[in-house]
Amino acid sequence: MLPVLCTLILVAALRLLLLLRQRAVLRTQDQAYALGLVSQRVGQQLWQQGWPLILIAALPWLSGAGPLMLLALVIAGGLWELPAKAVKPFGLDARHGMNRMTLVAFAREQAIQLALLAALALPAAWLALQLLARTDKRAWLLIWAIGWSGWAALRALQPQFAARLFDRLEPLPAGALRSRLEALLSRSGARVQRLFVQASSARSAQANAQVSGSARAPRIVLGDTLLAMLQADEVEAVVAHELGHLQRGHLRFQLLMIAAASFLMVMVAAALTAGIAEPVARLAIAWALLPSLWFFALPLTNYWYRRFEFEADDSAARQASGAALARALRQLTRNNRNAPLADRWYERVYHTHPATSERLARLDRAGT
């Protein structure tokens, strides 16, 4: 157990160090919401690290357990995270007037997530135990392959099926904006199935847009808050940014990147738990360790995500308007209360998007 405990202590120490650095930067910018957000994020991660410690303490009672016990431990881990998940919408966001989600909606969403987790975890738990019973050397490779394949399939199917369980999605209504965006899609040659509007205002005052699905059948989803906030040319620039992700092959690259990073994390988790003889306990602790181990993959994965954002900005400036995208970024930064600057080490580890000031400077240089 010593390797597991040392790993958890190291990750917790690094997270606290980055938290202190980022808080020091945010205090100079008078960013109360961003200051609370970084504390909430790191606090949630530290809370999450408590679950593997509980499993280690419960080792004497896990001897001889089977797939149902493993399933119960996975679901219990999901329940353990609920209090920390509730802090953002009903604590931080509520204090700053950003939350629109009710307790009933939150409970419903979490119940659906746990039900989906249980439906997927039961066959996965049985199969993982069968693999470990036959061969330890190849079992973890197969466990990773099954897990990653399942994640990739869910990611591809999420827009058509899972997304509708959590948010109301409607096709973008006919009108001048839709005609303008369809003309952009036609010019770009992108293979986008449809443009959708998400009722994001029912959960938060924050505005966003995203591309989802697979590279073969992508969808662009625009939040209703975003549509209410931006002008038509700004919305066009945001959609052009999302198209840039498709045209640059970012979705395919992300699949490969997550495959490589998750493979390393699973192998490290297997090595750290090698001293645990009980299969159920070993699998449960390895599963609970993955979020902490992922911390070490964040600098590399988020480096590429930030690079993707710059590339998508460049595409938007070419296909629509860099000036309109800059105005949209300023609006979104103000509305979502994002900090324009960040500590460089915190940004390298945690930020999937570059600082707004860097993106605006790049767009300004491209326009001159």
Side-chain angles (χ1 to χ4, degrees):
M1 286 298 95
L2 186 59
V4 174
L5 293 173
C6 289
T7 300
L8 291 172
I9 292 170
L10 175 61
V11 172
L14 291 172
R15 282 173 167 164
L16 287 170
L17 176 61
L18 291 172
L19 169 63
L20 293 174
R21 291 181 62 95
Q22 177 70 346
R23 285 178 63 88
V25 171
L26 292 176
R27 284 196 185 97
T28 66
Q29 301 177 52
D30 191 26
Q31 294 284 336
Y33 179 78
L35 193 63
L37 184 62
V38 66
S39 300
Q40 178 272 328
R41 172 188 289 172
V42 176
Q44 181 176 345
Q45 293 168 344
L46 293 174
W47 174 267
Q48 192 177 46
Q49 287 188 217
W51 182 243
L53 296 176
I54 292 175
L55 292 176
I56 291 172
L59 273 176
W61 292 276
L62 297 179
S63 179
L68 290 178
M69 175 57 75
L70 181 57
L71 171 65
L73 292 174
V74 171
I75 295 175
L79 292 171
W80 169 261
E81 296 180 12
L82 288 181
K85 285 183 177 180
V87 169
K88 184 179 184 296
F90 302 111
L92 176 67
D93 287 358
R95 285 198 305 273
H96 291 272
M98 303 291 282
N99 181 49
R100 306 276 178 80
M101 179 179 281
T102 66
L103 279 170
V104 173
F106 176 80
R108 174 184 173 275
E109 182 174 294
Q110 299 305 314
I112 292 173
Q113 289 182 4
L114 286 173
L116 291 173
L117 177 63
L120 296 171
L122 180 57
W126 178 85
L127 183 56
L129 289 173
Q130 294 299 311
L131 291 171
L132 276 182
R134 283 169 170 74
T135 170
D136 184 70
K137 292 182 178 179
R138 289 166 44 189
W140 290 97
L141 174 61
L142 294 172
I143 288 170
W144 162 79
I146 294 168
W148 179 80
S149 299
W151 172 82
L154 286 174
R155 184 176 178 275
L157 296 173
Q158 184 263 350
Q160 292 91 336
F161 301 103
R164 297 183 181 277
L165 296 174
F166 302 103
D167 293 292
R168 192 173 75 252
L169 290 175
E170 301 289 346
L172 184 66
L177 178 61
R178 183 166 133 182
S179 298
R180 182 171 188 156
L181 297 182
E182 287 176 343
L184 169 65
L185 298 180
S186 179
R187 292 197 309 271
S188 70
R191 182 168 46 187
V192 176
Q193 284 192 332
R194 293 168 80 181
L195 292 162
F196 284 87
V197 179
Q198 181 184 49
S200 54
S201 59
R203 70 167 61 235
S204 173
Q206 293 183 320
N208 199 11
Q210 62 177 325
V211 58
S212 60
S214 66
R216 292 180 177 275
R219 292 183 173 193
I220 291 178
V221 179
L222 304 169
D224 56 355
T225 309
L226 179 142
L227 292 176
M229 179 193 315
L230 301 182
Q231 300 298 317
D233 63 335
E234 296 166 349
V235 175
E236 181 185 37
V238 169
V239 172
H241 170 94
E242 300 303 327
L243 282 175
H245 287 304
L246 297 175
Q247 293 167 325
R248 297 295 188 102
H250 294 165
L251 295 184
R252 290 189 178 93
F253 188 95
Q254 183 190 42
L255 280 175
L256 296 175
M257 180 173 64
I258 297 298
S262 62
F263 173 77
L264 291 175
M265 296 305 104
V266 169
M267 294 303 111
V268 171
L272 290 173
T273 58
I276 304 174
E278 177 58 47
V280 167
R282 186 181 182 189
L283 281 167
I285 293 174
W287 170 261
L289 273 177
L290 289 178
S292 296
L293 293 176
W294 194 257
F295 174 85
F296 297 107
L298 288 177
L300 180 59
T301 58
N302 286 344
Y303 163 79
W304 284 104
Y305 287 142
R306 291 192 300 274
R307 182 169 172 173
F308 292 167
E309 292 304 315
F310 281 136
E311 291 179 353
D313 285 350
D314 293 344
S315 294
R318 286 195 304 271
Q319 296 183 105
S321 165
L325 180 61
R327 292 198 305 272
L329 286 173
R330 292 189 182 96
Q331 281 272 77
L332 292 170
T333 298
R334 284 194 297 269
N335 179 78
N336 297 346
R337 304 188 187 183
N338 297 328
L341 297 172
D343 172 73
R344 61 175 182 169
W345 289 106
Y346 185 91
E347 181 182 45
R348 287 172 181 173
V349 174
Y350 281 116
H351 282 193
T352 58
H353 289 58
T356 302
S357 57
E358 294 181 33
R359 297 175 71 180
L360 292 175
R362 185 183 176 97
L363 287 168
D364 184 61
R365 288 194 300 270
T368 56

